[in-house]
């Protein structure tokens, strides 16, 4: 049974009306990663980039639940443009993808330093080649569900050259190209400490860049990161987040003001803060699992590829923050932000943003939480009202809110925890204080300082669960041009046929033959 069918079955149970992802990741774009592996920068970035990519792919290939990274292709720019990996499905393909990472790692660190103009031209050619390859892939898989959902492409260029210069040259070089399927072009500059923030464009240059963006018809972004595994992992993990954007995720309904009969509706988007441990296979010991696949989506049969209506969360009470017990909250939290849906006009988006900002400020300044209720979308089998679910909305210093499910009376278990009124004995107090003084104290908890060894666990278990990819390959531009009329590279390079066992007579002769 496929994972999608299992999600449909679990989502059909009438266990409340949880907040769900409206689209359940149906429109995640295909990904292209273009790595500039040219001297003299490659010697400083090779190990860091390959380690980050290796860690990311070990997680991306192993995740259960909705497919977050459906397709991936990898290009390397060294002495020439090379396609190390044509478009392949990411899930369950760890051996092949890790083989590609090792091939990227094997590119020499030293060599002739070519001119900047030649490097930019190779980057431009890689972008165009990836678009052409994507069109061919889509044409040959046009009847599949995956192809109908993933019709857009996002290209990420990783370079150590000045980022704004790369962006300007790519915009000029791609103006006349067919970029209908290109949703976004991201240039990631691995910057040293000396280079950080040095490029500051003038207002005139920024206006010119904005015009180039409009003429290009695709979103073009520049992101500077430091040369570390953690920073590059963060760039890649952004691919895990939902990339729909066709509609807002939820409507937050507040009581109508005294001078207006209509309720106030704030349109919001949801964002995951973490990957649920329930999506990690092989049952690693990551602690108590408070969520499962159903936390990521509540869909019914036949709606997997349809756009869901935004959730409607109605505010029913304000709560004092110090009066909410954490033991009443459960499941995975969601970060709530003002929507960036492209279908809203600018005036509506600005008004919505201001209302969201005012709500965050009011809750934060008054130390309040908001109690929300989700009305059931389906009636019970007996014809009565369905099951309600409730949530707590917590403010934060940033322009965001934290949404957590809260337990209802039907699920609450009895618990008697008497308040301790007596002071502890001096001897026990001295012992415990001495123990705690041996531990390091941090004023702010940083989860980035914790490592569970999950990457190594997934790499080992993932490679054991599938056969080793039998060969590595590089597809040069010349080879692709020679075979352009025959079909895409992923069809021209099929897996080698399985070898048949030799007959017993041949084996007997081989044992007795003496090599000359």
């Amino acid at each position: 049974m496929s994972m999608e069918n299992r999600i449909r079955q679990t989502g059909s149970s009438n266990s409340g009306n949880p907040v769900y992802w409206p689209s359940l990741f149906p429109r995640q774009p295909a990904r292209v990663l273009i790595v500039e592996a040219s001297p003299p920068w490659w010697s400083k970035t090779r190990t860091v980039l390959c380690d980050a990519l290796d860690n990311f792919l070990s997680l991306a290939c192993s995740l259960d639940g909705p497919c977050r990274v459906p397709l991936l292709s990898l290009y390397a720019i060294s002495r020439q443009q090379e396609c190390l990996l044509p478009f392949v499905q990411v899930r369950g393909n760890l051996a092949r993808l890790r083989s590609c990472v090792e091939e990227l790692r094997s590119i020499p660190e030293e060599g002739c330093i070519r001119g900047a103009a030649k490097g930019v031209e190779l980057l431009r050619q890689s972008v165009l080649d990836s678009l052409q390859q994507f069109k061919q892939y889509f044409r040959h898989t046009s009847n599949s569900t995956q192809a109908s959902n993933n019709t857009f492409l996002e290209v990420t260029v990783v370079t150590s050259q000045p980022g704004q210069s790369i962006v300007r040259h790519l915009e000029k070089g791609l103006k006349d190209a067919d970029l209908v399927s290109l949703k976004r072009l991201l240039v990631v500059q691995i910057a040293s400490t000396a280079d950080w923030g040095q490029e500051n464009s003038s207002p005139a240059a920024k206006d010119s860049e904005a015009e180039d963006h409009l003429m290009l018809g695709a979103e073009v972004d520049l992101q500077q990161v430091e040369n570390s595994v953690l920073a590059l992992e963060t760039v890649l993990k952004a691919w895990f987040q939902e990339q729909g954007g066709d509609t807002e995720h939820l409507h937050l309904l507040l009581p109508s003001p005294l001078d207006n009969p209509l309720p106030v509706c704030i349109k919001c988007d949801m964002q995951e803060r973490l990957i649920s441990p329930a999506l990690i296979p092989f049952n690693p010991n990551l602690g108590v699992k408070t969520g499962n696949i159903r936390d990521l989506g509540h869909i019914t049969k036949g709606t997997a590829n349809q756009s869901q209506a935004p959730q409607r969360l109605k505010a029913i009470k304000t709560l004092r923050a110090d009066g909410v017990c954490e033991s009443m909250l459960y499941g995975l939290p969601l970060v709530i932000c003002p929507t960036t849906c492209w279908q809203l006009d600018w005036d509506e988006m600005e008004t919505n943003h201001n209302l969201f900002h005012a709500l965050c400020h009011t809750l934060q300044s008054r130390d309040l939480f908001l109690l929300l209720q989700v009305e059931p979308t389906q009636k019970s089998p007996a014809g009565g009202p369905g099951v309600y679910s409730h949530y707590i909305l917590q403010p934060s210093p940033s322009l965001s809110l934290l949404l957590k499910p809260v337990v209802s009376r039907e699920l609450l278990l009895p618990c008697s925890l008497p308040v301790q009124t007596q002071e502890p004995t001096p001897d026990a107090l001295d012992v415990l204080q001495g123990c705690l003084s041996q531990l390091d104290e941090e004023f702010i908890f940083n989860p980035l300082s914790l490592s569970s060894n999950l990457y190594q666990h997934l790499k080992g278990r993932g490679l054991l669960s599938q056969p080793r990819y039998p060969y590595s390959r590089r597809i040069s531009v010349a080879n692709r041009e020679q075979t352009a009329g025959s079909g895409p590279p992923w069809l021209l390079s099929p897996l080698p046929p399985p070898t048949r066992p030799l007959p017993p007579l041949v084996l007997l002769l081989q044992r007795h033959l003496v090599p000359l």
Side-chain angles (χ1 to χ4, degrees):
M1 181 183 296
S2 67
M3 178 57 62
E4 185 178 356
N5 291 333
R6 290 203 298 270
I7 296 176
R8 286 198 183 108
Q9 289 187 5
T10 57
S12 62
S13 62
N14 190 15
S15 58
N17 192 37
V19 170
Y20 56 77
W21 289 102
S23 57
L24 201 65
F25 301 89
R27 293 179 61 82
Q28 294 293 93
R31 300 285 179 176
V32 174
L33 182 63
I34 302 175
V35 177
E36 188 177 24
S38 305
W41 304 286
W42 185 233
S43 60
K44 300 178 181 178
T45 61
R46 181 183 69 165
T47 301
V48 169
L49 175 60
C50 291
D51 287 349
L53 186 58
D54 196 26
N55 291 341
F56 167 77
L57 291 175
S58 68
L59 187 59
C61 293
S62 306
L63 285 181
D64 287 335
C67 186
R68 299 163 184 264
V69 186
L71 298 171
L72 177 65
S73 179
L74 177 63
Y75 286 77
I77 306 296
S78 53
R79 292 184 298 271
Q80 60 182 353
Q81 166 202 346
E82 295 177 293
C83 179
L84 302 184
L85 183 74
F87 278 110
V88 295
Q89 295 185 15
V90 173
R91 176 176 288 171
N93 218 352
L94 181 58
R96 181 176 184 182
L97 293 172
R98 289 202 69 197
S99 175
C100 178
V101 173
E102 292 307 312
E103 192 169 358
L104 177 64
R105 199 188 298 267
S106 68
I107 295 179
E109 297 178 350
E110 300 177 354
C112 298
I113 300 177
R114 48 172 168 68
K118 176 64 175 177
V120 173
E121 175 60 22
L122 290 176
L123 289 175
R124 187 187 74 88
Q125 288 293 337
S126 297
V127 175
L128 294 176
D129 188 75
S130 66
L131 289 169
Q132 181 63 28
Q133 184 196 159
F134 180 68
K135 290 179 182 177
Q136 292 177 334
Y137 183 96
F138 184 77
R139 186 182 305 120
H140 286 81
T141 59
S142 58
N143 294 327
S144 68
T145 303
Q146 183 190 61
S148 62
N149 290 336
N150 311 114
T151 57
F152 294 100
L153 183 69
E154 287 199 14
V155 177
T156 301
V157 177
V158 180
T159 180
S160 295
Q161 297 191 53
Q164 289 187 2
S165 175
I166 296 294
V167 169
R168 287 194 294 268
H169 283 88
L170 286 177
E171 287 174 339
K172 292 179 181 178
L174 297 173
K175 278 184 178 179
D176 299 328
D178 181 10
L179 306 178
V180 175
S181 57
L182 180 63
K183 182 178 181 180
R184 185 185 184 215
L185 175 62
L186 173 64
V187 176
V188 178
Q189 178 190 355
I190 303 178
S192 62
T193 306
D195 297 334
W196 196 267
Q198 278 191 353
E199 292 183 301
N200 293 319
S201 300
S202 62
K206 290 182 178 180
D207 292 340
S208 176
E209 291 174 8
E211 292 179 1
D212 289 339
H213 292 357
L214 294 176
M215 295 180 65
L216 202 60
E219 182 181 353
V220 182
D221 292 324
L222 170 64
Q223 183 176 355
Q224 280 188 336
V225 298
E226 62 181 5
N227 187 24
S228 70
V229 175
L230 177 60
L232 290 170
E233 274 185 25
T234 303
V235 173
L236 296 173
K237 284 182 178 178
W239 296 357
F240 285 147
Q241 294 176 331
E242 202 266 345
Q243 303 290 327
D246 293 335
T247 182
E248 63 273 13
H249 291 155
L250 62 85
H251 290 172
L252 186 58
L253 304 178
L254 302 176
S256 58
L258 297 178
D259 58 347
N260 192 339
L262 299 177
V264 174
C265 177
I266 303 178
K267 299 179 180 180
C268 309
D269 289 338
M270 297 187 294
Q271 181 179 342
E272 291 173 288
R273 190 64 183 92
L274 52 93
I275 297 287
S276 171
L279 300 181
I280 305 298
F282 315 127
N283 194 26
N285 185 18
L286 294 176
V288 178
K289 298 179 180 179
T290 58
N292 55 35
I293 293 176
R294 281 178 290 179
D295 292 333
L296 296 178
H298 185 76
I299 59 176
T300 55
K301 186 175 182 180
T303 61
N305 296 324
Q306 299 175 8
S307 178
Q308 298 278 354
Q311 289 284 278
R312 295 170 63 86
L313 279 70
K314 180 181 178 181
I316 57 177
K317 284 184 181 179
T318 57
L319 306 173
R320 298 293 304 179
D322 55 4
V324 177
C325 180
E326 287 288 334
S327 66
M328 301 296 101
L329 308 179
Y330 66 94
L332 298 176
L334 290 172
V335 177
I336 306 300
C337 303
T339 186
T340 56
C341 175
W342 61 270
Q343 296 191 22
L344 272 65
D345 58 47
W346 287 109
D347 292 338
E348 184 180 2
M349 185 171 293
E350 182 180 7
T351 301
N352 187 77
H353 185 278
N354 292 337
L355 288 172
F356 190 94
H357 186 192
L359 176 62
C360 293
H361 174 77
T362 303
L363 295 178
Q364 179 77 12
S365 60
R366 297 184 181 181
D367 202 20
L368 294 175
F369 291 169
L370 210 57
L371 180 61
L372 307 175
Q373 177 180 282
V374 181
E375 297 182 356
T377 56
Q378 296 179 353
K379 294 184 178 181
S380 67
V387 179
Y388 294 87
S389 57
H390 298 85
Y391 291 83
I392 292 288
L393 201 61
Q394 301 180 1
S396 69
S398 62
L399 189 65
S400 62
L401 300 166
L402 195 64
L403 188 69
K404 293 182 179 180
V406 62
V407 71
S408 60
R409 60 176 290 184
E410 293 88 348
L411 301 178
L412 192 61
L413 295 176
C415 182
S416 177
L417 299 176
V419 178
Q420 185 59 259
T421 58
Q422 297 180 352
E423 293 291 331
T425 62
D427 293 342
L429 191 61
D430 291 340
V431 171
L432 263 297
Q433 288 179 349
C435 293
L436 296 180
S437 64
Q438 303 301 314
L439 302 176
D440 295 333
E441 181 180 356
E442 291 186 0
F443 292 97
I444 299 177
F445 170 65
N446 181 11
L448 296 177
S449 63
L450 303 179
S451 177
S452 63
N453 200 36
L454 179 61
Y455 291 141
Q456 295 301 322
H457 175 84
L458 294 177
K459 292 172 189 176
R461 295 298 299 268
L463 294 179
L464 288 176
S465 64
Q466 56 183 323
R468 184 76 178 173
Y469 189 63
Y471 65 96
S472 61
R473 59 184 174 184
R474 292 187 182 185
I475 301 178
S476 62
V477 181
N479 290 339
R480 281 195 302 276
E481 289 178 351
Q482 292 175 3
T483 59
S486 303
W490 58 273
L491 286 179
L492 297 173
S493 301
L495 292 174
T499 57
R500 297 180 180 178
L502 295 174
L505 180 61
V506 177
L507 293 176
L508 182 63
L509 290 174
Q510 286 182 347
R511 291 195 194 102
H512 292 82
L513 286 177
V514 179
L516 299 176

